[in-house]
Amino acid sequence: MKRPAVWVTAGIAVVIALLVVVLATRKPATDRLVKSPLVGKDAPAISTTTIDGSSRYALADQQGKWVLVNFFATWCVPCQREHSELVQFANAHAATNDAAVVSVVFSDEVSNVVSYFKQRGGGWPVVRDDNGAIATAWGVARVPESYLVAPNGLVVIKITGGVTDDFLEQQIARLESAK
Amino acid sequence: MTRRLAWLALGLVVIGALVYGVTDRSTATAHERAQKLGQTIMCPACSGESVADSQAPVAVFIRHQIADMVAKGESDEQIRDSLTAAYGDRIILNPPKSGVAGLVWVLPVAVLVAALAGLVVVFRRWRTPLDAHVTPDDVDAVERARRAEGS
């Protein structure tokens, strides 16, 4: 009777070990590059009012610099986690003005977004997308999702699950060197 | 001749029924059309649900976009193209009619045609008279068997 028990225990141990190996070697939930039909194509237009309603934002006006188009919601935990990374990225490029961030609100209240930015910082444009026209034009399924737009206006990468400053810098350096 | 006419009539009825069945004769309202279209679009944040059935934020957004495009007079094809341009072909729940996936539509028809052709061949073979002749040996054998039964 002892032998079957040993074999069963060994089998379970092997399965658990395999599971650990698979999970440990998977890509992290953040910085996950994913396929998108938009990659290599002109970025869909973003031309709308900012959340305070006082000014207009047009992605077309940003040509000549890298633009990270970030879709987020205040209720989304990975979005909260990536926010400090976005602040770091935006601050690093504020002086050189060679890269910028624009955030698109995904299914959220403007009042929540205003207090979210007040608490966490970030002075980049944040635009409304009340009926989801921007999100659906960009193929957003869930937040956070970000798209990096090259200075020539082409979408170059899509990232799901949140971004980090390091990852964005690496990607920009890689794409710059590939030119 | 009568038999041929009967087959012709049967063929016409079958073709007519198929054409009638696949023709969309509905005069749907814009809302009904958007709803019907939504049932063919997969919710990209859900597993196996259409945007018409899901309450995920993205499904609500896509429903809204479909309704907007329907209101603007865009065709179903244009609406699907616009969504696949952003989300890829996987967003369409019905398989596309071209490429490898198009086999899903073609294969059943091809199998049906092959099966019908097979049946026609088999029926013809059954009707063809056998090329067999009675030989004197056969007659003798039958005679012997009869005599054996009678004795």
Side-chain angles (χ1 to χ4, degrees):
Chain A
M1 276 303 282
K2 272 184 184 173
R3 251 192 200 162
V6 169
W7 281 110
V8 169
T9 312
I12 292 170
V14 168
V15 169
I16 291 172
L18 282 173
L19 195 64
V20 169
V21 169
V22 167
L23 291 176
T25 53
R26 279 186 73 186
K27 282 186 179 179
T30 55
D31 293 345
R32 196 171 286 167
L33 282 179
V34 292
K35 285 182 183 172
S36 163
L38 293 183
V39 170
K41 296 192 178 139
D42 284 329
I46 299 178
S47 181
T48 184
T49 51
T50 52
I51 46 163
D52 55 10
S54 63
S55 56
R56 285 199 70 78
Y57 175 88
L59 181 62
D61 296 342
Q62 305 296 312
Q63 286 232 347
K65 62 173 101 165
W66 295 93
V67 182
L68 185 77
V69 181
N70 171 250
F71 291 85
F72 83 106
T74 63
W75 44 261
C76 144
V77 175
C79 303
Q80 295 165 10
R81 286 204 198 106
E82 77 170 348
H83 194 85
S84 60
E85 299 285 336
L86 291 174
V87 172
Q88 206 174 319
F89 177 77
N91 289 345
H93 293 273
T96 51
N97 200 30
D98 58 342
V101 179
V102 57
S103 286
V104 184
V105 180
F106 184 90
S107 191
D108 207 342
E109 296 294 324
V110 168
S111 57
N112 293 342
V113 176
V114 170
S115 56
Y116 178 88
F117 270 79
K118 211 173 266 179
Q119 281 170 15
R120 295 165 192 267
W124 58 83
V126 182
V127 298
R128 304 171 64 144
D129 185 26
D130 296 342
N131 59 9
I134 302 173
T136 49
W138 284 76
V140 175
R142 54 177 75 80
V143 283
E145 279 188 17
S146 296
Y147 296 77
L148 188 62
V149 180
N152 60 6
L154 297 181
V155 177
V156 282
I157 52 172
K158 175 180 180 176
I159 310 149
T160 60
V163 296
T164 60
D165 174 46
D166 282 348
F167 181 78
L168 290 173
E169 297 296 357
Q170 279 168 22
Q171 292 301 315
I172 290 175
R174 179 181 65 82
L175 292 160
E176 289 273 17
S177 65
K179 273 182 187 173
Chain B
M1 187 67 185
T2 316
R3 195 180 283 256
R4 274 192 186 170
L5 275 174
W7 278 109
L8 187 68
L10 184 64
L12 286 173
V13 168
V14 169
I15 290 166
L18 280 171
V19 170
Y20 183 81
V22 298
T23 306
D24 188 7
R25 299 169 306 281
S26 60
T27 50
T29 63
H31 174 74
E32 284 167 345
R33 208 186 123 205
Q35 172 74 14
K36 199 175 164 191
L37 202 50
Q39 283 164 351
T40 69
I41 305 295
M42 189 185 77
C43 164
C46 324
S47 51
E49 260 185 311
S50 74
V51 294
D53 300 326
S54 170
Q55 283 308 313
V58 66
V60 176
F61 284 164
I62 293 175
R63 281 206 299 269
H64 201 286
Q65 291 314 303
I66 292 172
D68 263 8
M69 292 170 92
V70 166
K72 283 177 190 161
E74 294 192 30
S75 69
D76 290 3
E77 204 59 39
Q78 284 173 312
I79 296 170
R80 283 198 198 97
D81 285 351
S82 152
L83 290 169
T84 52
Y87 289 95
D89 289 338
R90 285 183 307 168
I91 199 166
I92 305 295
L93 281 170
N94 291 346
K97 291 184 176 76
S98 59
V100 178
L103 289 174
V104 171
W105 300 96
V106 174
L107 276 179
V109 178
V111 168
L112 184 70
V113 169
L116 286 175
L119 280 177
V120 168
V121 170
V122 168
F123 288 155
R124 282 211 170 156
R125 235 180 235 175
W126 285 352
R127 283 178 52 198
T128 308
L130 287 171
D131 189 21
H133 303 285
V134 179
T135 62
D137 290 346
D138 295 334
V139 175
D140 285 350
V142 170
E143 277 302 314
R144 279 198 301 274
R146 276 186 181 162
R147 263 182 251 133
E149 262 180 24
S151 62

